[in-house]
Amino acid sequence: MLEIDRLALDFLRYRGLWRRAAIPCLHDVSLTLARGELHAVVGASGAGKSLMAQALIGLLPGNARLRGSLRLDGELLDATRQAALRGKHLALIPQSLAALDPLVRSHHQVTWAARRAGVNAPRAAAERALTDVGLVGDSARRYPHQLSGGMARRVLLAMATAGEAEWLIADEPSVGLDPAHRAGVLEQLRRLADAGKGVLLITHDLRHALSVADRVTVFHAGTTLETAPATAFQGRGEALSSDYARALWRALPDNDFARPAVHEVPQLA
Amino acid sequence: MSTAPTPPLALRGNPRLGLALGSLALLVALAALLLMQPQLAERAAASDFQARLLAPGAEHWFGTDVLGRDLLARTLQGLALSLWVGAAAALLGTLIALSLAALASLDRRLDAMVGLLVDSVLGLPHLILLILIAFALGGGTQAVIIAVALTHWPSLTRVLRAELLQLQQADYVRLSRRFGKSRRYVVWHHLLPALLPHCLVGGLLLFPHAILHEAALTFLGFGLSPGQPAIGVLLAESMRYLSAGYWWLGVFPGLGLLLLVLAFDRLGNALRRLLTPREAQQ
Amino acid sequence: MLEARDITLGYRPGDSVLRGVSLRLAAGEWVGLSGASGSGKSTLGRLLAGHHTPRRGSLRLDAAPLPPHGLHPVQWLPQVPELAVNPRWRIGRILAEAWTPDAALRRRFGIADDWLERYPHELSGGELQRVAVLRSLAPGVRYLIADEISSMLDAITQAELWQTLAEIAEQRDLGVLVIGHDQALLKRLCQHQLRLENGQLWAEP
């Protein structure tokens, strides 16, 4: 069980050249992720979802200040433990395709990732991970600039899964993909969860998160407002407890496409 | 990971404090050096045959040379000279780089030509080209400045050219033209302001290179004239006496050069980080 | 009427992204355009807004060629607003580069007055996209090419942006080409839909 308990985060930013001020970015973030679960975190861009992912894996920039606690199987997950687990038990699928080394063929990068994770036969593990995401033969041997956005995403996915990590954090893994590729990536995440891994899917896309997720946490302005089973998102959202989650559901173009009034959703003010 | 105390927001713990203090110290030291130059020149030239080859001591901190001249004064004088030469060469090199990058951005053929020029100059051994140019120009301060400038523009040109290419493709630059803005407007308001920080940092990082190469050139006898107390001259002279145990003749000028170069290199890198949005806040 | 006739365009000789594409967009009309990534949707969108010149074919606005200088009457809105604005400029200056919208209009797009003094990185993607959309609505603009402008936005921000844009478009009789993947969204917004496949346009049923 991976637990985030009342996580808050400030950034020290320069105001002008010299003076620094603490800018709060996360206020109150709490959620749990179980093995075998695909848990989606849904919210607006800029709400701090990626920061939560970076905090989980211990890769925050140096000017971040963290409060609250992270626990893995009941034990405190601090910086040392994060460094020890990162890439092995705890893997991040980053949002930016810039995470790929532009000078290295993709199957080598996956092999490296497997080796970093301490796998016995890294080359075979890489091969398997690449096959799992549907990259075989020539397409697995290309340089990053020869890959389409969808293929590059799948290479990142293979890098995270080659090491048999138990916990996967996927940060907007389907951004920029067309519907066919997006479905492929999401299904792959679902399969990983079904194989017993804990998968945290961070996305702004509620519609497609719902198609694979077990539970959904609605994130707004640095706060987790509500965690609900994916099945609660139906009808007019009566089963949802927060106004914001309901508004988010109803704003989908295939629901009401509704622009909520501020008095209906106090969080929007 | 548990509750941490609120972070210090004032001066204490501000990572820019080191940079600010370092730059200030460097600036004061350089200003003092340049202000003292007239007196230094006098002291550096004054020979005293009673005090030849004295080891470092209370009166002569860095010792004296074979003509009994104070090595501290000569080292400082040499550094001041290096500063002038380095600054002039870095400025000239930056200007060359900026003009070539601008030229390359005009059309594809010019870009290919500039690219070829950059690659061929980068492909040639630095020092040999440097020596050839300095030799052809007949040596002396001007020749050294020109030679160093002419060999140090390629890497900065490459940076500026890539940056300019990226900027011209940027959505906001293309949109600016579709909002009806002229080419000149785009250059003045979008392109140049984006390039200036690169020029500043590039120029500052060129500086230590220029100083080092000036010293190397002079050391080899193709640069400043032996009569000038340049660091390169001091080092070249020291070679004759090193084996006789007069270590201070080489160590102090060399150390001074190293410190000056390091200081500017650190400053340039810190400034580059400050101007990179992603790293600026850390 | 914005009319593209028999447009062919490629980035390399012998390799065409668009092959004989013809398209008409009337004032006040909303048309959806979808297609796999790499199908040339964006290229077509940019071309309509004057960012590319076709190798063959013609582009006309009300039967006249489009002006080569000055404000382009067809404006392209890119997917990533962070790239569409100069990161060194404040929001006020960014807006003013195209025109000066009054306070009432700014308020309709939810752009607070104090944003004008901020830098782009101090706004979220959704906030910045609203700035980019408002900027493109300069007087004299007749058509908008919205290139996946809401695919990075959450549902609420997306609904707000489109509803506001739809109101303005109706007032000003703007024609809008909506490029996107989300069929539900395109169905909501557009009167009819097109699909780009192998460099050619097909009408969606």
Side-chain angles (χ1 to χ4, degrees):
Chain A
M1 183 79 91
L2 187 62
E3 290 165 85
I4 305 176
D5 188 27
R6 276 169 298 162
L7 194 72
L9 180 123
D10 298 333
F11 268 110
L12 287 178
R13 288 197 76 95
Y14 287 94
R15 300 261 130 202
L17 255 186
W18 187 256
R19 222 153 44 81
R20 286 202 296 176
I23 311 291
C25 288
L26 300 181
H27 301 282
D28 181 3
V29 173
S30 302
L31 62 86
T32 60
L33 175 67
R35 285 188 170 78
E37 180 189 30
L38 200 164
H39 191 143
V41 178
V42 178
S45 73
K49 306 185 303 282
S50 292
L51 289 176
M52 180 191 72
Q54 288 164 15
L56 263 177
I57 199 140
L59 287 179
L60 284 169
N63 57 332
R65 298 288 178 276
L66 209 55
R67 277 161 287 136
S69 69
L70 303 171
R71 280 167 199 283
L72 184 60
D73 293 328
E75 263 182 80
L76 210 59
L77 186 60
D78 55 13
T80 0
R81 199 153 166 244
Q82 279 172 331
L85 296 179
R86 189 160 58 219
K88 300 184 182 75
H89 294 278
L90 204 58
L92 175 72
I93 303 164
Q95 179 173 5
S96 167
L97 296 181
L100 290 173
D101 185 334
L103 301 177
V104 181
R105 293 183 188 275
S106 17
H107 69 294
H108 286 312
Q109 305 205 35
V110 181
T111 311
W112 289 356
R115 189 166 300 140
R116 276 198 296 272
V119 177
N120 281 329
R123 202 163 299 175
E127 212 58 49
R128 196 172 54 245
L130 281 164
T131 315
D132 280 348
V133 295
L135 289 174
V136 282
D138 171 57
S139 51
R141 277 163 183 64
R142 296 192 195 171
Y143 288 101
H145 73 268
Q146 298 169 315
L147 299 169
S148 71
M151 286 164 131
R153 289 254 167 246
R154 285 185 280 161
V155 173
L156 286 174
L157 188 58
M159 283 173 74
T161 52
E164 291 160 7
E166 284 177 272
W167 304 97
L168 285 168
I169 301 156
D171 191 1
E172 297 279 10
S174 61
V175 153
L177 300 187
D178 56 32
H181 287 119
R182 180 178 55 215
V185 166
L186 292 178
E187 273 161 29
Q188 174 71 9
L189 291 176
R190 181 68 250 174
R191 276 200 297 278
L192 289 165
D194 290 339
K197 300 180 192 302
V199 181
L200 199 63
L201 166 64
I202 295 174
T203 177
H204 68 277
D205 187 346
L206 174 63
R207 163 59 61 219
H208 296 100
L210 286 175
S211 64
V212 289
D214 300 303
R215 286 192 298 162
V216 176
T217 290
V218 175
F219 201 103
H220 178 69
T223 308
T224 46
L225 292 174
E226 168 174 14
T227 298
T231 49
F233 290 85
Q234 58 163 322
R236 301 187 61 77
E238 294 88 347
L240 295 166
S241 64
S242 72
D243 296 326
Y244 182 81
R246 205 172 301 121
L248 195 66
W249 167 242
R250 289 187 30 202
L252 285 175
D254 42 358
N255 290 336
D256 297 350
F257 202 35
R259 173 169 47 175
V262 172
H263 64 85
E264 290 174 320
V265 185
Q267 285 92 349
L268 287 178
Chain B
M1 191 68 47
S2 54
T3 27
T6 36
L9 294 179
L11 283 183
R12 210 154 40 84
N14 190 326
R16 286 185 187 174
L17 183 65
L19 173 63
L21 285 183
S23 321
L24 196 69
L26 189 63
L27 223 69
V28 168
L30 294 181
L33 185 63
L34 295 180
L35 279 177
M36 287 180 349
Q37 214 192 355
Q39 285 114 297
L40 275 176
E42 214 170 290
R43 273 199 78 182
S47 47
D48 176 3
F49 291 101
Q50 306 297 313
R52 295 176 63 216
L53 292 170
L54 287 182
E59 194 166 340
H60 299 284
W61 290 358
F62 284 11
T64 59
D65 70 358
V66 71
L67 296 177
R69 293 175 294 196
D70 181 50
L71 198 60
L72 174 61
R74 285 177 70 74
T75 301
L76 290 179
Q77 175 75 5
L79 289 180
L81 203 59
S82 291
L83 267 179
W84 285 119
V85 174
L91 189 69
L92 204 57
T94 309
L95 284 178
I96 295 175
L98 187 60
S99 339
L100 280 177
L103 196 68
S105 74
L106 289 180
D107 86 276
R108 202 172 287 181
R109 259 175 308 171
L110 282 171
D111 182 65
M113 274 163 61
V114 169
L116 193 69
L117 200 61
V118 167
D119 288 340
S120 36
V121 173
L122 275 181
L124 287 171
H126 235 55
L127 205 55
I128 293 186
L129 196 62
L130 204 60
I131 291 171
L132 282 176
I133 298 176
F135 188 70
L137 291 173
T141 317
Q142 266 185 23
V144 171
I145 291 175
I146 294 174
V148 172
L150 280 182
T151 45
H152 282 73
W153 53 269
S155 46
L156 185 58
T157 305
R158 204 179 243 187
V159 171
L160 293 181
R161 176 172 154 237
E163 189 66 25
L164 205 52
L165 203 68
Q166 207 177 1
L167 277 171
Q168 284 179 315
Q169 301 295 324
D171 285 345
Y172 70 85
V173 171
R174 288 159 162 259
L175 284 169
S176 181
R177 296 278 289 140
R178 300 299 134 202
F179 293 138
K181 298 299 181 199
S182 65
R183 226 175 253 264
R184 180 189 300 220
Y185 177 95
V186 168
V187 168
W188 279 105
H189 292 88
H190 286 300
L191 303 184
L192 273 183
L195 281 185
L196 275 182
H198 290 274
C199 289
L200 192 67
V201 172
L204 208 54
L205 286 175
L206 263 184
F207 192 79
H209 260 270
I211 292 177
L212 268 184
H213 276 117
E214 176 269 316
L217 206 55
T218 306
F219 177 80
L220 293 173
F222 298 100
L224 304 182
S225 68
Q228 288 173 293
I231 295 288
V233 173
L234 295 188
L235 289 176
E237 275 178 4
S238 78
M239 292 301 284
R240 267 183 277 160
Y241 304 99
L242 273 185
S243 54
Y246 304 120
W247 52 270
W248 57 90
L249 292 180
V251 166
F252 288 117
L255 218 56
L257 182 66
L258 186 72
L259 283 179
L260 188 66
V261 166
L262 265 182
F264 273 96
D265 190 62
R266 291 285 292 275
L267 186 64
N269 273 318
L271 200 62
R272 182 183 55 72
R273 287 208 5 216
L274 203 63
L275 293 170
T276 311
R278 240 188 26 204
E279 294 179 46
Q281 297 295 335
Q282 293 186 35
Chain C
M1 175 79 75
L2 178 67
E3 191 172 16
R5 209 179 283 165
D6 200 24
I7 298 282
T8 297
L9 175 75
Y11 292 109
R12 272 167 303 219
D15 167 30
S16 297
V17 181
L18 304 173
R19 281 179 232 151
V21 169
S22 296
L23 169 82
R24 290 155 73 117
L25 189 59
E29 189 184 29
W30 287 62
V31 173
L33 174 64
S34 57
S37 49
S39 63
K41 306 186 298 285
S42 268
T43 306
L44 178 58
R46 285 166 185 253
L47 181 133
L48 292 173
H51 293 256
H52 294 309
T53 323
R55 195 189 296 154
R56 217 184 60 218
S58 71
L59 197 58
R60 285 171 175 271
L61 178 68
D62 298 332
L66 284 144
H69 303 293
L71 177 77
H72 203 276
V74 185
Q75 284 291 327
W76 174 67
L77 285 164
Q79 178 180 18
V80 186
E82 285 83 355
L83 302 179
V85 299
N86 189 330
R88 290 164 211 83
W89 287 12
R90 294 175 196 269
I91 302 300
R93 189 172 176 199
I94 287 169
L95 279 174
E97 188 177 21
W99 67 303
T100 320
D102 59 25
L105 197 58
R106 286 204 308 266
R107 220 164 297 129
R108 275 175 74 179
F109 276 89
I111 295 170
D113 286 343
D114 68 301
W115 289 14
L116 300 181
E117 294 302 315
R118 293 203 216 168
Y119 286 97
H121 69 262
E122 295 171 317
L123 297 184
S124 76
E127 290 166 343
L128 208 52
Q129 192 61 282
R130 298 208 290 265
V131 171
V133 171
L134 177 58
R135 179 180 61 169
S136 72
L137 293 172
V141 171
R142 312 260 312 274
Y143 294 90
L144 287 181
I145 315 294
D147 193 350
E148 305 206 41
I149 58 168
S150 68
S151 63
M152 313 268 269
L153 304 183
D154 66 285
I156 292 178
T157 314
Q158 168 174 275
E160 280 172 344
L161 181 68
W162 284 116
Q163 309 264 8
T164 313
L165 187 56
E167 290 164 11
I168 308 271
E170 190 171 1
Q171 272 171 19
R172 301 215 193 151
D173 211 21
L174 295 176
V176 184
L177 182 72
V178 187
I179 302 177
H181 287 309
D182 186 344
Q183 289 305 316
L185 179 69
L186 294 183
K187 217 172 281 171
R188 271 275 175 190
L189 294 171
C190 302
Q191 280 110 29
H192 58 262
Q193 290 192 46
L194 302 168
R195 184 170 180 77
L196 198 57
E197 222 169 84
N198 299 324
Q200 285 172 319
L201 269 184
W202 309 87
E204 283 275 352

